[in-house]
Amino acid sequence: MMETGFNIPDNHPRAASMRIRERLIEGEERSVVTKAGLFAHGRGEAFDYLIGEASMPAALSAARAAAASLLLASHPVISVNGNVAALVPEAAVELSQLSGAPLEVNLFYRTRKRELAVRDALLTAGATAVLGLGPKTATIPELFSERRIVDPEGIYKADVVVVPLEDGDRTEALKRIGKFVITIDLNPLSRTAQTADITIVDNITRAIPNIVGAIRALRPCGAGTQRSVARGFDNRRNLSEALIFIRDRLTALAGGRG
Ligand code: ATP
């Protein structure tokens, strides 16, 4: 068990992973992250260990396709939950500013206190506006509880939505109402990963900077190139490549006895 609030030495072999945990624990103390969010992180971490804690080639291709789709979108939106706000607030704000996609607070366990805590994390990171908090709301049909609520100016009218670390029910509901869904999920087998249009199988701490880099590279290329990148992407094939990468890595680690 790790303790909280102690200095992680730079030369510790698990330093990066422990710092990420620290951010989530601090986020939980500020009501940004829920206890369920800590469990979700643990599941993600296990997959990151299998991947080798670096972006796979398949994740780089998916990030490039995500960048192209965001550049081509009319109303892109980035959904932010507690783990996203605790882990990558600055990167989420940078992606929002670069892509023109507003940030929308989207909580599985929604309380006013948490909404405001997530909003404050984004404002502290430099956001100038945050959707999903106003008195005006729209709802996604067929979804129950607070997860139905979406902002009429945000996800409700969006054509492309980035929903990192999302649960399967909500992703399926977003697909049913016709959204083009981009997700970031370390588990290539989750329902969200399997349902989305573009799944970046990577840690969000690496995936968002990768999308930002790809937007910078693709923007000057123009809409023709962006369209061919977006059309040339096949999520099924990309998920297969991710699973094959993990299989091959495990085979190599097992001494080649696959
Ligand atoms: P589903 O309902 O889609 O089948 P689930 O029940 O596992 O999946 P949740 O726990 O709601 O879904 O979502 C969390 C997802 O986010 C998990 O698939 C987990 O692997 C992934 N995840 C957690 N932390 C990270 C992270 N830092 N970067 C990327 N993905 C992560």
Side-chain angles (χ1 to χ4, degrees):
M1 269 296 281
M2 70 172 293
E3 295 169 50
T4 64
F6 72 107
N7 283 332
I8 301 158
D10 286 337
N11 62 355
H12 189 287
R14 308 286 317 140
S17 167
M18 288 165 80
R19 286 205 183 94
I20 292 177
R21 282 191 192 179
E22 278 287 292
R23 263 184 263 161
L24 285 164
I25 291 165
E26 281 160 18
E28 201 271 334
E29 285 161 2
R30 283 183 287 135
S31 302
V32 170
V33 174
T34 57
K35 292 201 169 60
L38 301 177
F39 285 111
H41 180 74
R43 185 159 49 248
E45 243 183 8
F47 280 96
D48 210 8
Y49 224 116
L50 300 181
I51 288 164
E53 296 173 318
S55 300
M56 301 178 271
L60 296 175
S61 312
R64 196 156 178 266
S69 303
L70 284 169
L71 285 166
L72 293 165
S74 307
H75 293 292
V77 172
I78 302 164
S79 161
V80 177
N81 66 17
N83 284 37
V84 176
L87 287 175
V88 285
E90 287 87 6
V93 170
E94 188 181 11
L95 178 61
S96 167
Q97 286 166 353
L98 201 63
S99 63
L103 299 164
E104 176 166 337
V105 177
N106 155 34
L107 302 177
F108 195 106
Y109 301 100
R110 189 184 276 270
T111 63
R112 189 67 184 156
K113 187 177 175 198
R114 284 199 69 221
E115 276 182 358
L116 298 179
V118 171
R119 178 201 64 184
D120 290 348
L122 295 172
L123 293 178
T124 305
T128 49
V130 179
L131 298 177
L133 300 148
K136 279 197 303 171
T137 54
T139 54
I140 304 177
E142 298 172 54
L143 254 191
F144 300 102
S145 83
E146 301 304 311
R147 287 180 300 154
R148 296 178 62 170
I149 296 170
V150 286
D151 194 304
E153 293 307 310
I155 290 175
Y156 188 71
K157 75 168 193 191
D159 53 349
V160 174
V161 282
V162 183
V163 283
L165 285 55
E166 184 57 274
D167 86 299
D169 291 342
R170 200 158 189 277
T171 307
E172 285 171 6
L174 289 169
K175 283 300 302 164
R176 276 198 299 273
I177 59 169
K179 308 298 178 189
F180 185 91
V181 175
I182 299 170
T183 195
I184 300 165
D185 193 328
L186 276 161
N187 176 3
L189 302 172
S190 78
R191 278 183 308 146
T192 292
Q194 296 284 327
T195 310
D197 295 284
I198 299 178
T199 304
I200 305 169
V201 182
D202 205 356
N203 199 313
I204 192 167
T205 57
R206 298 186 297 268
I208 296 212
N210 286 342
I211 305 173
V212 164
I215 288 181
R216 287 195 206 285
L218 279 173
R219 195 195 296 281
C221 301
T225 304
Q226 293 157 13
R227 254 182 238 114
S228 72
V229 170
R231 286 198 191 125
F233 182 80
D234 177 339
N235 208 41
R236 284 270 125 235
R237 200 176 59 213
N238 194 268
L239 285 168
S240 297
E241 284 170 16
L243 286 168
I244 289 165
F245 179 94
I246 295 171
R247 180 199 67 187
D248 289 349
R249 183 166 185 273
L250 293 181
T251 302
L253 288 170
R257 292 183 294 277

